[in-house]
């Protein structure tokens, strides 16, 4: 655990959220600011990298100043600056990294380039008392992986998506059914009023060995089912399709996570926890399934609060605190990384 009195400023700009947070080693978030670019990207039905980078550039300095003012701290009170160094949309990552380096060099502070995925992976330890090793389902707009988290910078990947990420599939299905952007929350809301028996969709990878995922075929199946509708899409059609899609994702995720739990229990008999992170972890249906699954396997299920499931800067500051505690910092010539796998042994797969 980090030194309780250490204080780190965290910066996140890898996708469509511009965020800054000041976090203390005892887990207290002293201040945080988050600006979502949803309205900027909504007309395009997805994140446009150039628009994202420009928006980060326009707002980041102000957000950092506001966060520091709210924390009532000067830069001399900080122990380090942590920033997402990748993976992500490179223009945005560059804005964050440049800004963090400038602050670090002007104020003579240690600089930490945090892997965004490690931020998600460790976010649970900011809010909950979860010890290593734990099994992590990282399920977001850009990723869908099952990992054993053994410690800071120590991960073993058990499985990953072979094509789309789960959140990406939610976003695409929302677009196809006219449910809008961002897709995840819209699909979840619509699904609540949907008939689960109306459409039958496949369960890609279910029943297969291993822990990999695939969502591209599911998305295509949704497209074909929609194409076969005799009339123009109604609100009820969209709700029924959202329900069928969400049920399929929940089934597949439960199946794959079930396999991962078996592997985890065998490989780490002392492990006690199943943890979920990433934006899709906000989904209540998925959470309920994972809670049951963990209980059936004798594991304790933990999900960070919703605001720390989606992209945020507190998790970056926290990962920075954890890394600082191991004595690791990064050089100021660190280069932003558009790709940066957590488990380098599994990187090529
Ligand atoms: O972690 P995140 O904020 O960004 C990435 O690093 O990808 O995740 C965003 C993703 C989006 O695809 C969004 O549609 C999805 O998380 N999401 C959800 C829900 N809320 C957000 N998916 C399903 N159900 C939700 N309630
Ligand atoms: Zn993320």
């Amino acid at each position: 655990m980090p030194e309780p009195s250490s204080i780190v400023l965290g910066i996140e700009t890898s996708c469509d959220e511009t965020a800054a947070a000041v976090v203390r080693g005892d887990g207290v978030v002293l201040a945080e600011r988050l600006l979502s670019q949803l309205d900027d990207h909504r007309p395009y039905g997805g994140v446009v990298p150039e628009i994202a980078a420009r928006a980060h550039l326009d707002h980041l300095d102000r957000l950092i100043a506001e966060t520091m003012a709210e924390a009532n701290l000067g830069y001399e009170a900080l122990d380090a600056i942590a920033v997402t160094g990748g993976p992500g949309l490179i223009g945005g990552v560059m804005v964050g990294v440049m800004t963090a380096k400038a602050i670090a060099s002007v104020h003579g502070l240690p600089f930490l380039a945090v892997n965004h995925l490690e931020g998600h992976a460790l976010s649970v330890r900011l809010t909950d008392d979860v010890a290593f090793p734990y099994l992590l389902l990282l399920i977001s707009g850009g990723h869908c992986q099952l990992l054993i988290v053994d410690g800071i910078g120590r991960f073993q990947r058990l499985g990953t998506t072979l094509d789309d990420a789960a959140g990406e599939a939610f976003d695409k299905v929302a677009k196809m059914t006219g449910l809008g952007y961002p897709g995840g929350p819209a699909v979840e809301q619509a699904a609540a009023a949907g008939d689960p028996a109306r459409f039958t969709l496949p369960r890609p990878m279910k029943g297969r060995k291993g822990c990999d995922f695939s969502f591209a075929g599911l998305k295509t199946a949704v497209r074909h089912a929609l194409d076969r509708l005799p009339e123009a899409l109604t609100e009820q059609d969209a709700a029924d399709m959202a329900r069928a899609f969400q049920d399929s994702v929940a089934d597949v995720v439960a199946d794959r996570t079930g396999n991962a739990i078996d592997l985890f229990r065998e490989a780490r008999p002392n492990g006690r926890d199943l943890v979920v992170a990433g934006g899709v972890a906000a989904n209540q249906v998925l959470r309920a399934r994972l809670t049951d699954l963990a209980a059936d396997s004798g594991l304790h299920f933990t999900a960070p609060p919703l605001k720390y499931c989606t992209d945020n800067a507190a998790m970056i500051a926290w990962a920075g605190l954890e890394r600082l505690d191991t004595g690791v910092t990064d050089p100021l010539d660190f280069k932003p990384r558009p790709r940066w796998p957590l488990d380098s042994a599994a990187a090529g797969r």
Side-chain angles (χ1 to χ4, degrees), residues 116 120 140 311 315:
H116 179 82
H120 278 302
S140 72
D311 287 349
M315 73 180 188

Side-chain angles (χ1 to χ4, degrees), residues 14-17 116 120 139-143 166-168 170-171 182-185 188 246 278-284 309-311:
S14 68
C15 192
D16 59 345
E17 259 98 30
H116 179 82
H120 278 302
I139 186 163
S140 72
H143 302 275
E168 200 178 346
F170 267 96
D171 293 335
E188 180 171 8
Q246 185 174 264
V280 185
N283 189 288
Q284 296 298 334
C309 275
T310 48
D311 287 349

Side-chain angles (χ1 to χ4, degrees), residues 15-33:
C15 192
D16 59 345
E17 259 98 30
T18 317
V22 178
V23 179
R24 203 166 57 199
D26 60 359
V28 175
V29 178
L30 297 173
E32 59 188 324
R33 282 279 188 284

Side-chain angles (χ1 to χ4, degrees), residues 98-119:
M98 262 171 18
T99 305
K101 283 180 179 174
I103 297 172
S105 67
V106 167
H107 299 281
L109 291 165
F111 167 80
L112 293 152
V114 170
N115 184 318
H116 179 82
L117 304 177
E118 183 159 33

